[in-house]
Amino acid sequence: MKIAKYLWIIFMLFIPLKIHSEEVIPVIVSIYPLEDITKNIGRERVTVKTLIPAGSSPHAFEPSPAEIKEFTKAKVFIKIGAGLEFWAERFVRAAKRDIRVVDLSETIPLINGFKEKGHTHEHEGFKEKGHTHEHGGADPHYWLDPVLVKSMVDSITATLIRIDPVWKDFYIENAVAYKRRLDGLHEEIKKRISRLQKREFVALHPAWNYFSKRYGLKPLYIVEATGRELRPGNITEIVKFIKEKNIKVLFSEPQLSPALVEALARESKARILTLDPLGSPQIPGRDNYIDLMFYNLSRLEEALR
Ligand SMILES: [Zn+2]
């Protein structure tokens, strides 16, 4: 009896050590949608820092010393993968050995045939200014398909549970709730796109292949891959496409120079709308992933009606 009592006291002493893991998990992510998605799962258990500043393109990003420092503070780095964070690897290696890197592309059926030839660090006027190297050829823009985001949610949830197993039920509950909202988003996009007359649209850079595959749209892009290189004859081909398909709207993007879209719009008498693959915490209506996708859906409706 006495021994049982002591054992109980000892047991009680150890419980708090396990349960009171009140330390919040510091996470860094590459692009803003990952911050929003991670916060929906981790809520007050995580702090999330996005490395790529709002308004910048991840394809032409070069981290500053301050941003590199974020790697030393974080416990986990969540990335899109498929070549998008080509700039990150050496910083992860330099920063800290025990940072956990989660490559979300590992569970995604990637679309291939996405060629990125070289990147510039000045990113103006789509001129080739940087060095050239080739990436894997997989298209990294899968976060623009809400159905694939559910796989991303599963990977992020599994990571948080591995780091912080005591809060497992909390993470799972949040993930289930968020995936239900993603289902709602998907159904809404599917329904509204199916009502549209046109299927073809012209966007600035090839971010919309996963989205288009999911909802049966046919995109054509003004610039190849990441906006650095134009094929000879590309403009002529696009102008022909615009005329043939009677396209009245061209899509610009907040993270890239609008010069080419503007030139094309003048030539083809089309008007310009914005599609936004990244969103921003500073823009109401585009400051979380789900609203961002509703914003993009509304712009597509204006164009494809
Ligand atoms: Zn992109």
Side-chain angles (χ1 to χ4, degrees):
M1 200 60 196
K2 222 177 179 183
I3 288 168
K5 197 178 160 192
Y6 281 123
L7 280 176
W8 177 242
I9 290 167
I10 290 163
F11 182 62
M12 289 296 280
L13 279 173
F14 279 94
I15 285 176
L17 286 181
K18 273 205 118 182
I19 294 178
H20 289 277
S21 60
E22 291 304 333
E23 207 182 303
V24 165
I25 308 169
V27 180
I28 49 171
V29 298
S30 52
I31 56 169
Y32 181 63
L34 288 180
E35 175 178 334
D36 176 53
I37 294 162
T38 304
K39 279 180 178 166
N40 269 284
I41 307 161
R43 300 200 189 170
E44 64 270 25
R45 297 289 308 138
V46 295
T47 54
V48 190
K49 166 100 180 96
T50 298
L51 274 173
I52 297 167
S56 306
S57 166
H59 301 294
F61 179 66
E62 183 86 341
S64 69
E67 283 151 351
I68 293 162
K69 239 183 146 184
E70 294 295 329
F71 281 105
T72 63
K73 294 186 216 151
K75 230 185 172 89
V76 55
F77 172 43
I78 300 173
K79 63 175 190 171
I80 290 294
L84 191 74
E85 298 91 348
F86 61 89
W87 38 265
E89 215 163 288
R90 58 199 166 111
F91 302 115
V92 170
R93 245 180 291 135
K96 203 166 134 194
R97 277 228 187 103
D98 61 351
I99 187 166
R100 199 185 288 257
V101 179
V102 181
D103 182 344
L104 297 175
S105 72
E106 279 170 10
T107 60
I108 301 289
L110 293 170
I111 295 175
N112 284 305
F114 187 87
K115 276 267 169 348
E116 182 178 11
K117 280 184 187 159
H119 35 80
T120 163
H121 303 296
E122 288 166 65
H123 209 269
E124 278 172 337
F126 307 111
K127 265 175 249 149
E128 179 70 77
K129 285 179 183 164
H131 50 276
T132 296
H133 72 198
E134 297 250 348
H135 299 296
D139 181 343
H141 302 89
Y142 57 82
W143 72 89
L144 296 166
D145 174 354
V147 176
L148 295 179
V149 173
K150 287 168 47 174
S151 299
M152 297 162 68
V153 169
D154 288 339
S155 302
I156 295 168
T157 307
T159 302
L160 295 180
I161 291 171
R162 238 172 279 138
I163 296 169
D164 189 26
V166 173
W167 287 80
K168 180 181 173 186
D169 293 348
F170 173 76
Y171 297 129
I172 290 174
E173 207 176 287
N174 296 343
V176 167
Y178 190 62
K179 284 203 282 184
R180 215 174 288 135
R181 292 181 61 205
L182 289 169
D183 283 334
L185 171 68
H186 164 63
E187 290 305 327
E188 185 74 11
I189 298 175
K190 201 168 80 178
K191 188 177 82 192
R192 282 163 60 177
I193 296 260
S194 72
R195 289 191 198 132
L196 298 172
Q197 290 191 338
K198 295 181 184 172
R199 285 285 165 268
E200 294 87 3
F201 67 99
V202 175
L204 185 48
H205 104 288
W208 304 96
N209 294 324
Y210 292 90
F211 182 93
S212 298
K213 192 180 170 199
R214 179 70 61 196
Y215 301 109
L217 296 178
K218 293 194 183 94
L220 192 74
Y221 303 107
I222 294 170
V223 295
E224 257 192 11
T226 54
R228 253 61 68 181
E229 228 168 272
L230 272 175
R231 274 172 292 150
N234 191 290
I235 296 290
T236 327
E237 188 196 323
I238 292 166
V239 172
K240 205 176 137 215
F241 183 83
I242 291 167
K243 282 180 185 152
E244 273 175 17
K245 305 289 179 188
N246 194 24
I247 285 168
K248 303 270 189 249
V249 170
L250 305 182
F251 287 110
S252 193
E253 278 175 41
Q255 296 85 18
L256 295 170
S257 159
L260 265 173
V261 186
E262 283 165 2
L264 266 171
R266 270 194 302 275
E267 194 165 340
S268 54
K269 294 184 180 61
R271 69 193 174 103
I272 298 172
L273 291 176
T274 299
L275 282 182
D276 187 353
L278 294 173
S280 160
Q282 281 108 43
I283 306 174
R286 281 190 253 162
D287 55 0
N288 67 76
Y289 174 75
I290 288 178
D291 284 353
L292 174 70
M293 294 312 286
F294 276 120
Y295 170 87
N296 288 320
L297 174 61
S298 298
R299 299 294 82 74
L300 282 164
E301 283 180 318
E302 281 182 62
L304 302 178
R305 206 163 260 148

